[in-house]
Amino acid sequence: METYNLNYIKELEAESIFIIREVAAQFQRPALLFSGGKDSIIMTHLARKAFYPAKIPFPLIHIDTGHNFEETLIYRDNLVKEINVNIIVGLVQESIDSGKATEEKGFNASRNLLQTVTLLDTLEEHKIDAAMGGARRDEEKARAKERFFSHRDEFGQWDPKNQRPELWNLLNGKKNPGEHFRVFPISNWTEMDVWQYLHMEKIELPSLYFTHERLCIRRNGTLLAHSDYLNLRDTEKPEMLQVRFRTIGDMTCTGAVLSTANTVEEIISEVAATRQTERGTREDDKRSDSAMEDRKKEGYF
Amino acid sequence: MLNYKANELLRFTTAGSVDDGKSTLIGRLLYDSKAIFEDQLESVKKTSESRGFDYLDLSLFTDGLRAEREQSITIDVAYRYFATPKRKFIIADTPGHIQYTRNMVTGASTANLAIILVDARHGVVEQTCRHSLIASLLKINHIVICVNKMDLVDYSQEVYDKIVSDYKTFASKLEVRDIHFLPISALKGDNVVERSENMDWYEGSTLLYLLENVHIGSDNNHIDCRFPVQYVIRPQSDDHHDYRGYAGRIASGVFKPGDEVCVLPSGFSSRIKSIDTFDGKIDEAFAPMSVTITLEDEIDISRGDMIVRVHNQPKTGQDIEVIICWLNSKPLNQNTKYLLMHTTKDVKAIIKEINYKIDINTLHRLEEDKDIGMNDIARIRLRTTLPLFYDSYSKNRNTGSLILIDEGTKETVAAGMII
């Protein structure tokens, strides 16, 4: 008898495509949150697969802190052109100018937290009822409890104690007026799965993920990219280092790692040997033990 | 580099009462299979020391939200991941307190295997029976009974044998195909990843070996062809002007181009013209693949319809007999309509009859008790506004399962398994 087995990466892919199609079928105005990071790049790739040969039937949303790596923006613009998809850009600077968000002060100032304000405003302005993101459950303990379809109340908030049970493949996207959903189609992927898949599918990535020379600052055990957005202490001196990034976010809080990995294969070997979680390089998570949980409740991505 | 092409995915759930050592067992699996990173280890070391332990408290690896730590409880199902060169594992970690039934049903609904923990000092208790019953009800094919805390009973074979024999007596009432038994100590690591040096009398495998090797290839139904249409793809572009593809995930069976198929509810038949994916056309598609099917003939098909083989059709009907598990604090109300989701179809339903409630500890039918609240399991009869195309849950998890949704709050209030 023939055996019908899917290997696990193909099974994860099939599950994610199923969820993305379910979003397109159940919601009026879905969108895909695109940060330029590898997870949202995979999400975009999966969305292309889900609707082929048609184009992706919903827009991408990019929340732009104004503190981006230039490489991210170049990558984003090329991708949008190549796959012919609509993109909505929400500017944190606009939220600051309109007084809805207040810029943080001091040496550790970051616009990471302010993104929530801009995100919720952008979703409201475009009446988005389902925002898909590339968050994974292996990233962080608050995310380990997320559903695929995560319900948000009319204030955009997450209530971990009142989540809808999710059974079999039956995803309940029913909602009352004013409520919306966050959807996480790659919940079941790990960092290693993501890299394996990028390799398997030969997906192009922003150059930041590969080794390069960069001026960095050492702060609290993290290497931060030197930029105009960073306030330096007197003791902090930029040094030129051979680094790459494991995650890509706002320049002020994304840490680099010392690495000479120049290809996806080399990165996979590095990830397999590494003993730090990828969010270990994120200053935004280090603010407290429940930093992610607190931000999620407020409506953070 | 992992050989991902050969790897399979095993989804399992863990059950145990409070203090059976469930968190420690999961922590042990993650720790010994090296799925724990240095920064997580550092944080657990610090916490263990600050609590005055002279050992690493492995249960802290699965420590959850601040809201939970403050109340020392686990709120909800959490998912954990680890991989070995043989398989990738997804653990649905369900807490063992009051809302237990609801959480275990949720975790069990997607699992191939259930680990049920028994404290060696206490033996088979009411909770063990309850967990086993839920696993059997949800048709989990493989059950692993881990007799834990063997270190606290001097690794005694006698104690272990007694528990195995007690459990077998009880389990004869259940419909489970494959039951395994293991003596372990999650705290000390005996027989979890490494073989125990303290139990020479045990000749079976370790837990990890079992998880890596249990045969799951036949867990999917590859006989009855069922394709619930999820989404209709119509590019309406110049290149694909007349393209009309039916996107969805194969629920069961194997589909091939040229197959004669029938579309429900219309009953029209046609042939499969092609099975399309982004990576090209494929020769066959089986569960759980996500594909797009095109047909030779133009038939009006939309979401909620089902493509099946002409000579192997599901049942069609509006009166459905179901075993439900109630998941919501608002009890079942017989005088109201519920929304019902089944495959990709949405209908409304009323509950025509509550046949009986099941005593989850003894399996007894409570014919007189018709009050169904949170965590209750009951057999009911539903009437739907439109026909469903379904199979019995025991034959087909995908076409035999449904959920009920409250029309007001839109919350998922019940999980149903069609008889």
Side-chain angles (χ1 to χ4, degrees):
Chain A
M1 200 184 125
E2 273 182 274
T3 54
Y4 296 105
N5 277 339
L6 271 192
N7 74 58
Y8 84 86
I9 292 268
K10 291 305 255 182
E11 186 169 339
L12 289 178
E13 181 194 61
E15 176 180 87
S16 301
I17 289 176
F18 171 81
I19 294 162
I20 294 169
R21 286 171 170 170
E22 207 55 22
V23 170
Q26 287 196 36
F27 294 92
Q28 302 290 318
R29 295 174 72 93
L32 196 161
L33 300 177
F34 184 85
S35 69
K38 63 186 186 315
D39 300 311
S40 63
I41 289 169
I42 282 201
M43 282 292 304
T44 312
H45 185 74
L46 291 166
R48 284 178 80 188
K49 287 197 165 192
F51 303 103
Y52 174 85
K55 60 176 196 153
I56 299 175
F58 39 74
L60 308 186
I61 290 182
H62 181 218
I63 300 305
D64 183 342
T65 61
H67 293 173
N68 296 294
F69 290 100
E70 199 191 345
E71 292 87 336
T72 309
L73 297 184
I74 294 170
Y75 183 92
R76 176 194 77 188
D77 295 341
N78 286 339
L79 181 72
V80 165
K81 206 185 286 171
E82 188 196 326
I83 65 174
N84 185 23
V85 67
N86 293 331
I87 184 155
I88 297 166
V89 179
L91 298 170
V92 172
Q93 190 61 49
E94 276 183 12
S95 304
I96 293 171
D97 294 346
S98 68
K100 285 185 166 176
T102 312
E103 189 101 66
E104 291 183 359
K105 296 200 168 61
F107 291 114
N108 289 321
S110 164
R111 288 184 167 183
N112 183 276
L113 267 176
L114 310 187
Q115 287 182 90
T116 304
V117 176
T118 315
L119 173 60
L120 293 176
D121 280 352
T122 308
L123 297 182
E124 198 172 313
E125 186 190 336
H126 295 273
K127 300 198 167 39
I128 302 299
D129 55 0
M132 277 177 274
R136 308 187 321 266
R137 290 178 182 141
D138 79 319
E139 280 180 90
E140 212 282 335
K141 58 195 166 199
R143 286 184 169 166
K145 309 226 156 176
E146 267 289 11
R147 300 296 190 263
F148 290 122
F149 274 29
S150 179
H151 178 260
R152 300 301 155 109
D153 65 17
E154 59 217 293
F155 302 103
Q157 300 185 97
W158 181 60
D159 179 4
K161 284 191 192 169
N162 191 26
Q163 301 194 74
R164 294 176 180 180
E166 215 157 64
L167 299 116
W168 300 291
N169 295 319
L170 298 167
L171 301 168
N172 173 4
K174 308 269 185 291
K175 61 188 181 332
N176 285 314
E179 300 172 344
H180 75 272
F181 275 80
R182 297 288 172 84
V183 181
F184 305 108
I186 60 167
S187 289
N188 277 335
W189 299 49
T190 61
E191 183 188 14
M192 184 53 114
D193 300 334
V194 165
W195 283 109
Q196 300 273 15
Y197 189 71
L198 289 165
H199 177 62
M200 194 171 103
E201 297 285 308
K202 302 184 175 62
I203 297 170
E204 200 192 320
L205 285 175
S207 54
L208 293 165
Y209 280 109
F210 303 100
T211 186
H212 55 281
E213 288 204 321
R214 180 179 288 272
L215 275 178
C216 295
I217 309 291
R218 289 180 198 269
R219 186 180 284 177
N220 306 331
T222 307
L223 294 174
L224 292 175
H226 180 48
S227 72
D228 296 344
Y229 313 123
L230 217 55
N231 300 325
L232 294 197
R233 292 187 176 85
D234 291 344
T235 50
E236 292 173 328
K237 291 273 176 300
E239 354 169 17
M240 188 63 89
L241 296 168
Q242 188 79 23
V243 296
R244 66 175 202 85
F245 292 89
R246 272 177 90 183
T247 69
I248 292 182
D250 185 292
M251 279 193 92
T252 59
C253 66
T254 310
V257 288
L258 291 173
S259 167
T260 54
N262 202 22
T263 62
V264 173
E265 284 101 320
E266 284 171 21
I267 292 173
I268 290 172
S269 316
E270 195 181 279
V271 171
T274 194
R275 304 307 304 150
Q276 286 274 330
T277 58
E278 57 181 339
R279 294 201 77 92
T281 60
R282 291 294 284 256
E283 278 300 303
D284 44 335
D285 290 348
K286 290 190 183 165
R287 292 193 169 186
S288 81
D289 198 30
S290 55
M292 177 67 91
E293 182 182 347
D294 295 339
R295 280 178 297 161
K296 276 182 71 70
K297 283 185 185 159
E298 297 294 319
Y300 180 76
F301 164 62
Chain B
M1 201 165 136
L2 282 172
N3 178 15
Y4 55 84
K5 288 194 174 116
N7 272 11
E8 281 178 321
L9 181 61
L10 176 78
R11 299 176 198 246
F12 68 92
T13 178
T14 51
S17 346
V18 183
D19 295 332
D20 275 354
K22 194 164 55 65
S23 301
T24 307
L25 176 65
I26 294 174
R28 169 64 66 188
L29 277 171
L30 299 179
Y31 182 68
D32 282 3
S33 66
K34 312 215 165 24
I36 303 274
F37 292 104
E38 247 169 45
D39 44 341
Q40 293 171 310
L41 187 62
E42 275 310 308
S43 136
V44 165
K45 266 186 193 157
K46 265 192 225 155
T47 313
S48 299
E49 278 165 24
S50 74
R51 292 188 186 175
F53 300 144
D54 54 0
Y55 59 90
L56 203 57
D57 184 356
L58 294 170
S59 70
L60 293 171
F61 287 124
T62 58
D63 206 15
L65 309 176
R66 186 180 57 194
E68 295 171 316
R69 289 196 296 279
E70 282 165 1
Q71 301 164 37
S72 288
I73 54 151
T74 317
I75 288 167
D76 212 309
V77 187
Y79 296 88
R80 321 274 173 205
Y81 304 84
F82 71 100
T84 68
K86 279 198 156 160
R87 275 186 180 161
K88 174 187 165 92
F89 301 93
I90 301 181
I91 313 176
D93 179 12
T94 56
H97 61 106
I98 23 164
Q99 293 196 350
Y100 197 77
T101 306
R102 161 193 151 130
N103 289 326
M104 186 174 168
V105 166
T106 304
S109 73
T110 50
N112 311 90
L113 179 147
I115 293 179
I116 297 174
L117 279 158
V118 177
D119 187 323
R121 295 169 303 172
H122 306 140
V124 175
V125 295
E126 201 174 279
Q127 296 258 26
T128 318
C129 303
R130 184 187 306 183
H131 300 153
S132 306
L133 176 71
I134 295 170
S136 133
L137 204 61
L138 273 288
K139 303 291 172 210
I140 294 186
N141 287 321
H142 316 279
I143 291 187
V144 181
I145 305 295
C146 283
V147 180
N148 191 25
K149 306 198 181 179
M150 286 301 291
D151 53 315
L152 298 183
V153 295
D154 296 327
Y155 298 105
S156 156
Q157 180 176 11
E158 206 179 321
V159 170
Y160 174 74
D161 287 346
K162 168 88 170 52
I163 292 172
V164 171
S165 137
D166 286 351
Y167 187 85
K168 282 183 175 163
T169 311
F170 156 77
S172 57
K173 287 188 275 185
L174 301 174
E175 294 170 35
V176 181
R177 283 193 224 157
D178 185 30
I179 304 181
H180 301 262
F181 298 89
L182 288 167
I184 66 165
S185 165
L187 188 71
K188 309 278 179 185
D190 295 279
N191 290 334
V192 180
V193 172
E194 306 291 340
R195 275 203 73 85
S196 171
E197 287 170 11
N198 300 308
M199 291 177 274
D200 297 339
W201 48 266
Y202 173 72
E203 289 173 344
S205 59
T206 63
L207 177 60
L208 185 65
Y209 182 89
L210 184 68
L211 294 174
E212 282 184 319
N213 291 286
V214 64
H215 177 68
I216 52 169
S218 52
D219 287 4
N220 277 310
N221 174 335
H222 293 308
I223 297 161
D224 309 306
C225 295
R226 309 280 186 262
F227 183 74
V229 175
Q230 196 186 357
Y231 188 87
V232 180
I233 293 179
R234 301 201 62 186
Q236 291 167 318
S237 61
D238 293 343
D239 298 349
H240 303 278
H241 197 71
D242 295 320
Y243 188 91
R244 206 180 160 88
Y246 306 106
R249 200 168 186 195
I250 314 276
S252 58
V254 182
F255 289 84
K256 295 185 170 99
D259 280 354
E260 207 178 319
V261 292
C262 166
V263 183
L264 300 173
S266 70
F268 289 125
S269 56
S270 180
R271 273 177 198 282
I272 294 180
K273 186 170 157 190
S274 64
I275 302 175
D276 298 347
T277 73
F278 179 84
D279 304 299
K281 294 186 189 303
I282 54 175
D283 297 334
E284 59 182 11
F286 50 89
M289 290 166 74
S290 284
V291 296
T292 302
I293 289 179
T294 64
L295 299 179
E296 295 284 359
D297 305 281
E298 267 199 37
I299 305 175
D300 186 24
I301 300 176
S302 49
R303 176 175 164 87
D305 291 358
M306 192 183 281
I307 298 176
V308 301
R309 295 298 298 270
V310 177
H311 298 295
N312 175 347
Q313 298 199 14
K315 291 175 211 159
T316 300
Q318 285 170 266
D319 292 292
I320 320 279
E321 298 276 340
V322 192
I323 301 273
I324 55 161
C325 174
W326 201 257
L327 308 170
N328 203 267
S329 52
K330 200 164 129 191
L332 180 151
N333 180 350
Q334 256 193 284
N335 303 313
T336 187
K337 281 198 215 73
Y338 289 98
L339 302 170
L340 183 155
M341 288 181 81
H342 171 255
T343 64
T344 54
K345 206 171 174 69
D346 281 10
V347 297
K348 284 187 182 172
I350 46 172
I351 290 152
K352 285 295 244 194
E353 195 184 347
I354 297 168
N355 303 88
Y356 51 82
K357 197 153 119 178
I358 298 173
D359 182 323
I360 189 96
N361 298 316
T362 59
L363 288 180
H364 286 147
R365 295 176 179 186
L366 310 170
E367 313 260 355
E368 302 308 316
D369 188 353
K370 307 269 161 113
D371 295 326
I372 311 299
M374 171 100 93
N375 296 317
D376 283 342
I377 290 179
R379 177 167 169 162
I380 62 165
R381 185 160 54 85
L382 292 167
R383 171 84 185 169
T384 57
T385 46
L386 290 167
L388 300 184
F389 323 118
Y390 65 95
D391 296 284
S392 71
Y393 183 79
S394 60
K395 267 180 74 184
N396 198 323
R397 260 186 169 187
N398 293 323
T399 55
S401 53
L402 57 85
I403 56 172
L404 296 179
I405 296 164
D406 186 286
E407 273 201 305
T409 63
K410 308 287 194 285
E411 286 173 350
T412 305
V413 294
M417 289 145 285
I418 301 173
I419 290 168

